[in-house]
């Protein structure tokens, strides 16, 4: 089995070997190479002590990035390569980092501390693939399995629970039975993991091609991160538009969407307000009035807790709020929506609405999809014809109004908004002369 190492990674390994040390490319870069993908980073492990690595590359920029844990960074041709000494970890008291590490001379001991078998393989050109834990077999079989005892691995670093879900989702793999049972058993340890670390893994997980299976099988683990999800599980909707409970509808909707983070976050949480907003009419039909608006407030708290940036929070909350809004197919109505939330968000909203429909029953599905298709066509027409739907597209601006004698800033803003409304409603053409005349008239 041959892996083509980058020239600089090969150079690092060869130089370490020339000084009497062992050295291998290790971890994710080997996994990705075997999957036929281009690794983003190439990490090196070695029997050399950190100080020996620094001496070995004294003619290159070397940064002691994590020397306490055996890692130094070597810079070659404007790229960074982490070179880490073989080690075994001491006790983990915080379910995140070892209290200490001990450097060892054995690659096998180093591999034993890694999270999953598919990440525990090493390679160099002379010795080929070194695979003590059958990672290559698991890779071929599409299996995520812990190295050694799963309980120990997850107690060492509880983030590995979410990482297992992320790898399974991204790669479309299944999680091996004992590893999965341990994940469910140890899920509460996630409460000790920083929200920032969970955030990163959650976003990657949501974009995976195997997301449907993960959301179904590991919803109890997601509920540790977002307890607000729990009421959705098994909540029956009792409505002809729906044939699934709220969570299963959510699972299918997420899986039906494009893999953009904001869209999938919005779909994961779009119906989170339904259990609280549920009412049942005299005919036994369930309704969820204002669940979008109510859910958006819940989502804001959830995403803030998970340390999402303000732009992401605002975008996701807006999509949740409006996911159930009725969008008229008329030119004027679509331009009002484009003005209200912007073209990028409007595109996302249509994507969310499409996925939402795909997670519903067959009742009126063709009609709903046809309506979305017509809205998309109308939106494209607005863009192609450069129709005006925002103040920046208006043929006049504040300076034009000042020139005709309007000095009050608040009044200028009100007039511009009124002119825009007239243009959107097709009552005025977006021509400077016409707009100036209309402005003078009011």
């Amino acid at each position: 089995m041959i892996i083509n190492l980058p020239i600089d990674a090969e150079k690092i390994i060869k130089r370490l070997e020339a000084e009497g040390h062992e050295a291998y490319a290790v971890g994710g870069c080997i996994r990705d190479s075997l999957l036929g993908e281009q690794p983003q980073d190439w990490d090196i492990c070695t029997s050399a002590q950190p100080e020996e690595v620094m001496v070995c590359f004294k003619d290159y920029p070397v940064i002691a990035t994590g020397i306490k844990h055996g890692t130094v960074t070597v810079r070659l041709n404007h790229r960074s390569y982490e070179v880490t000494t073989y080690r075994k970890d001491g006790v983990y008291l915080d379910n995140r980092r070892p209290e200490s590490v001990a450097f060892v001379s054995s690659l096998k001991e180093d591999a034993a501390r890694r999270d999953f078998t598919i990440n525990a393989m090493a390679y160099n050109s002379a010795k080929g693939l070194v695979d003590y834990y059958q990672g290559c077999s698991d890779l071929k079989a599409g299996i995520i399995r812990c190295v050694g005892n799963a309980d120990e691995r997850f107690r060492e670093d509880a983030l590995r629970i979410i990482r297992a879900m992320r790898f399974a989702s991204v790669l479309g793999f299944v999680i091996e039975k004992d590893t999965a049972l341990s994940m469910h058993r140890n899920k509460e340890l996630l409460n000790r993991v920083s929200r920032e670390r969970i955030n990163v893994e959650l976003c990657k997980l949501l974009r995976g091609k195997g997301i449907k299976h993960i959301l179904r099988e590991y919803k109890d683990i997601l509920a540790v991160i977002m307890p607000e999800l729990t009421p959705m599980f098994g909540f029956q909707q009792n409505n002809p538009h729906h044939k699934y409970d709220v969570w299963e509808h959510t699972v299918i909707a997420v899986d039906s969407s494009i893999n953009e983070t904001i869209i999938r976050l919005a779909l994961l949480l779009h119906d989170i307000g339904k259990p609280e907003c549920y009412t049942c009419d005299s005919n036994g039909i369930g309704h969820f009035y204002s669940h979008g608006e109510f859910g958006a407030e819940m989502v804001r708290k959830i995403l803030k807790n998970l340390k999402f940036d303000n732009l992401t929070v605002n975008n996701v909350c807006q999509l949740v709020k409006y996911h159930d809004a009725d969008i008229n197919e008329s030119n004027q109505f679509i331009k009002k929506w484009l003005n209200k939330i912007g073209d990028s968000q409007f595109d996302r909203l249509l994507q969310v609405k499409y996925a939402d429909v795909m997670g519903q029953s067959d009742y009126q599905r063709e009609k709903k999809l046809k309506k979305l298709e017509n809205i998309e066509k109308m939106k494209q027409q607005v863009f192609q014809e450069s129709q005006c739907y925002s103040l920046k597209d208006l043929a006049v601006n504040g300076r034009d109004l000042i020139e005709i004698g309007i000095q009050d800033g608040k009044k200028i803003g009100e007039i511009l908004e009124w002119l825009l409304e007239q243009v959107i409603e097709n009552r005025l053409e977006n021509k400077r002369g016409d707009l100036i005349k209309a402005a003078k008239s009011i």
Side-chain angles (χ1 to χ4, degrees):
M1 190 172 294
I2 297 174
I3 294 175
N4 294 317
L5 302 181
I7 293 172
D8 289 336
E10 188 79 70
K11 185 174 185 177
I12 291 171
I13 291 171
K14 294 297 184 186
R15 181 175 286 205
L16 286 165
E17 288 181 326
E19 295 296 322
H21 309 295
E22 290 182 6
Y24 295 84
V26 68
C29 59
I30 304 305
R31 177 198 68 231
D32 291 346
S33 296
L34 294 176
L35 287 170
E37 299 175 2
Q38 182 62 45
Q40 297 297 310
D41 300 296
W42 291 85
D43 295 330
I44 312 297
C45 64
T46 180
S47 60
Q49 299 283 304
E51 295 78 9
E52 292 174 316
V53 175
M54 296 179 79
V55 170
C56 192
F57 294 95
K58 60 182 182 293
D59 51 337
Y60 288 95
V62 178
I63 308 163
T65 44
I67 199 163
K68 177 183 175 183
H69 294 93
T71 300
V72 297
T73 298
V74 179
R75 293 278 296 171
L76 273 74
N77 294 319
H78 309 293
R79 287 199 62 177
S80 296
Y81 296 85
E82 286 194 351
V83 182
T84 303
T85 304
Y86 297 161
R87 73 186 202 203
K88 63 179 181 180
D89 297 336
V91 295
Y92 287 75
L93 298 181
D94 62 356
N95 306 111
R96 181 183 176 186
R97 295 184 184 278
E99 293 299 299
S100 62
V101 300
F103 299 138
V104 296
S105 58
S106 163
L107 174 61
K108 187 172 185 178
E109 278 190 272
D110 182 81
R113 70 179 176 83
R114 298 184 181 270
D115 51 6
F116 309 115
T117 61
I118 63 171
N119 296 332
M121 295 178 283
Y123 181 90
N124 77 21
S125 300
K127 298 182 177 64
L129 185 71
V130 180
D131 181 15
Y132 295 112
Y133 297 98
Q134 290 72 57
C136 191
S137 297
D138 284 345
L139 202 63
K140 289 177 180 177
I143 292 172
I144 304 297
R145 183 196 313 270
C146 279
V147 172
N149 184 283
D151 286 338
E152 290 180 10
R153 297 291 83 77
F154 294 135
R155 287 168 189 161
E156 289 167 354
D157 184 354
L159 185 70
R160 289 169 172 170
I161 296 170
I162 299 295
R163 279 172 58 81
M165 293 163 61
R166 185 254 285 188
F167 281 121
S169 178
V170 170
L171 299 174
F173 285 13
V174 297
I175 300 173
E176 177 266 336
K177 181 181 177 182
D178 289 340
T179 299
L181 289 172
S182 180
M183 289 164 60
H184 291 294
R185 195 161 50 237
N186 291 290
K187 63 189 177 187
E188 297 298 333
L189 293 175
L190 286 168
N191 288 316
R192 303 186 66 179
V193 178
S194 76
R195 304 294 95 177
E196 290 86 352
R197 296 179 82 210
I198 287 175
N199 179 318
V200 172
E201 296 297 331
L202 178 64
C203 289
K204 293 177 181 177
L205 180 160
L206 284 174
R207 294 194 299 268
K209 60 188 176 184
I211 185 61
K212 182 163 65 174
H213 174 75
I214 297 303
L215 293 180
R216 279 178 178 154
E217 297 299 319
Y218 301 95
K219 60 181 184 286
D220 60 316
I221 296 175
L222 288 171
V224 174
I225 301 167
M226 293 176 276
E228 298 87 348
L229 296 177
T230 304
M232 299 166 69
F233 304 158
F235 196 99
Q236 299 302 320
Q237 307 202 58
N238 303 318
N239 186 290
H241 292 279
H242 289 279
K243 61 180 178 179
Y244 305 113
D245 66 57
V246 176
W247 182 248
E248 181 62 15
H249 159 71
T250 297
V251 170
I252 296 171
V254 172
D255 186 58
S256 299
S257 73
I258 63 173
N259 62 345
E260 184 194 312
T261 300
I262 289 174
I263 289 172
R264 289 204 163 176
L265 269 172
L267 285 164
L268 179 72
L269 302 169
H270 76 287
D271 277 349
I272 201 161
K274 273 190 170 180
E276 281 288 327
C277 295
Y278 179 76
T279 58
C280 188
D281 65 23
S282 58
N283 295 316
I285 303 299
H287 302 280
F288 304 92
Y289 299 118
S290 300
H291 75 277
E293 190 169 353
F294 182 82
E297 292 306 310
M298 295 178 65
V299 170
R300 186 170 298 279
K301 293 176 183 177
I302 293 168
L303 298 185
K304 286 286 188 182
N305 180 54
L306 287 170
K307 308 300 182 184
F308 280 92
D309 62 272
N310 288 334
L311 181 60
T312 298
V313 172
N314 291 335
N315 283 336
V316 172
C317 288
Q318 190 175 63
L319 294 174
V320 171
K321 181 178 179 179
Y322 295 130
H323 79 272
D324 207 31
D326 184 28
I327 299 179
N328 193 289
E329 298 169 65
S330 72
N331 173 274
Q332 296 97 316
F333 210 74
I334 289 168
K335 286 190 289 186
K336 285 183 178 181
W337 272 99
L338 289 167
N339 177 56
K340 182 183 181 75
I341 66 175
D343 48 2
S344 295
Q345 272 290 86
F346 189 70
D347 284 344
R348 291 190 184 112
L349 182 59
L350 295 184
Q351 292 281 350
V352 167
K353 282 182 162 292
Y354 169 80
D356 192 17
V357 170
M358 298 309 292
Q360 297 173 4
S361 68
D362 294 335
Y363 178 66
Q364 295 187 354
R365 175 178 286 180
E366 287 188 19
K367 179 181 177 182
K368 296 171 188 174
L369 293 177
K370 184 64 178 177
K371 182 176 182 178
L372 288 174
E373 183 183 333
N374 291 338
I375 292 170
E376 176 65 29
K377 288 178 180 178
M378 187 66 71
K379 183 203 73 175
Q380 291 299 331
Q381 183 181 351
V382 170
F383 291 161
Q384 289 165 6
E385 296 177 1
S386 299
Q387 296 179 29
C388 174
Y389 60 84
S390 67
L391 286 174
K392 65 180 176 61
D393 301 321
L394 205 60
V396 297
N397 56 38
R399 290 188 299 274
D400 296 312
L401 299 189
I402 291 172
E403 287 176 5
I404 63 172
I406 304 171
Q407 299 298 322
D408 182 80
K410 182 180 179 182
K411 193 67 176 175
I412 288 172
E414 290 174 352
I415 292 173
L416 288 173
E417 289 290 349
W418 180 82
L419 291 172
L420 177 62
E421 182 180 354
Q422 301 309 301
V423 171
I424 287 176
E425 294 281 358
N426 298 323
R427 298 192 188 104
L428 279 175
E429 287 194 67
N430 189 29
K431 294 181 178 179
R432 187 177 186 278
D434 292 350
L435 298 179
I436 291 294
K437 182 178 178 180
K440 286 179 178 179
S441 73
I442 62 167

